[in-house]
């Protein structure tokens, strides 16, 4: 049993690598490429020529649970429409747990003139030291079983400096 647990831990950690920036650190999918960091407050990683994308940003904003819910409602609205026009994305209800909110959305991204069914998890949370992290993890819908378990691991890995 211990061997199986060790193998599962090794497999899970092998799926992620670490970004260590000036203001924060976080983990991201090992198959993503880190992008040039233009601002100390933000980090992006993606798969070249793919829909896969991760964004993480940090601010000194302490939000209440109610403010996090309002943030998520606003992000859900912006996900589903742009300037009053539908985007083609459909977002689920935000899930609030303490000082963390997430929601899942489905849509399509165009790659090489093909529409690819895509999922994204949008998140925002406040750490005990009052740092607010937000961002999203986006990937092909067919890869959801692979990436969904990483959402909570990425969120848990975000540490302010």
């Amino acid at each position: 049993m211990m061997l199986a647990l060790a193998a599962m831990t090794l497999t899970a950690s092998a799926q992620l690598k670490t970004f260590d920036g000036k203001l924060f650190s976080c983990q991201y999918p090992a198959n993503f490429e880190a992008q040039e960091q233009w601002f100390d407050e933000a980090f992006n990683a993606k798969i070249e020529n793919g829909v896969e994308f991760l964004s993480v940003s940090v601010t000194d904003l302490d939000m209440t649970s109610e403010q996090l819910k309002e943030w998520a409602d606003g992000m859900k609205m912006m996900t589903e429409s742009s300037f009053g026009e539908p985007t083609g994305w459909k977002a689920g209800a935000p899930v609030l747990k303490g000082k963390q909110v997430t929601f899942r959305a489905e849509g399509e991204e165009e790659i090489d003139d093909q529409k690819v069914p895509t999922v994204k998890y949008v998140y925002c949370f406040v750490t005990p030291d009052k740092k607010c992290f937000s961002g999203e993890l986006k990937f092909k819908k067919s890869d959801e079983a692979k990436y969904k378990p990483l959402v909570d691991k990425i969120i848990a890995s975000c540490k302010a400096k």
Side-chain angles (χ1 to χ4, degrees):
M1 181 158 159
M2 292 300 287
L3 186 58
L5 182 59
M8 285 178 14
T9 302
L10 182 59
T11 301
S13 64
Q15 295 176 337
L16 296 170
K17 55 187 172 184
T18 302
F19 162 75
D20 190 18
K22 183 177 179 182
L23 297 180
F24 70 97
S25 63
C26 66
Q27 291 186 318
Y28 62 101
N31 58 325
F32 285 30
E33 292 181 31
Q35 302 299 289
E36 184 172 351
Q37 191 181 7
W38 293 93
F39 303 98
D40 293 334
E41 297 84 7
F43 170 72
N44 296 319
K46 67 179 190 172
I47 291 180
E48 214 48 52
N49 301 317
V51 300
E52 296 82 2
F53 176 77
L54 170 74
S55 68
V56 179
S57 64
V58 65
T59 61
D60 288 322
L61 186 63
D62 183 19
M63 291 197 283
T64 65
S65 294
E66 182 59 35
Q67 289 169 321
L68 284 167
K69 174 77 168 80
E70 289 172 11
W71 177 92
D73 289 340
M75 290 301 293
K76 179 181 179 212
M77 182 182 69
M78 290 191 313
T79 296
E80 295 180 330
S81 67
S82 177
F83 299 105
E85 297 295 320
T87 61
W89 283 85
K90 298 294 180 209
V95 177
L96 182 66
K97 293 180 184 172
K99 292 197 110 182
Q100 175 182 312
V101 66
T102 59
F103 69 84
R104 179 188 179 277
E106 280 190 39
E108 293 182 330
E109 294 283 315
E110 194 166 312
I111 302 285
D112 297 327
D113 297 327
Q114 290 188 314
K115 293 192 182 281
V116 177
T118 305
V119 169
K120 67 178 169 180
Y121 283 84
V122 179
Y123 62 87
C124 186
F125 66 95
V126 178
T127 65
D129 58 349
K130 298 180 178 23
K131 300 292 184 182
C132 182
F133 284 90
S134 62
E136 70 178 46
L137 176 62
K138 183 169 56 171
F139 45 84
K140 293 176 190 165
K141 186 176 180 182
S142 60
D143 289 338
E144 189 162 15
K146 173 182 173 181
Y147 287 110
K148 184 179 186 275
L150 300 183
V151 174
D152 287 335
K153 291 177 184 178
I154 290 167
I155 289 172
S157 76
C158 293
K159 305 287 185 238
K161 293 183 176 182

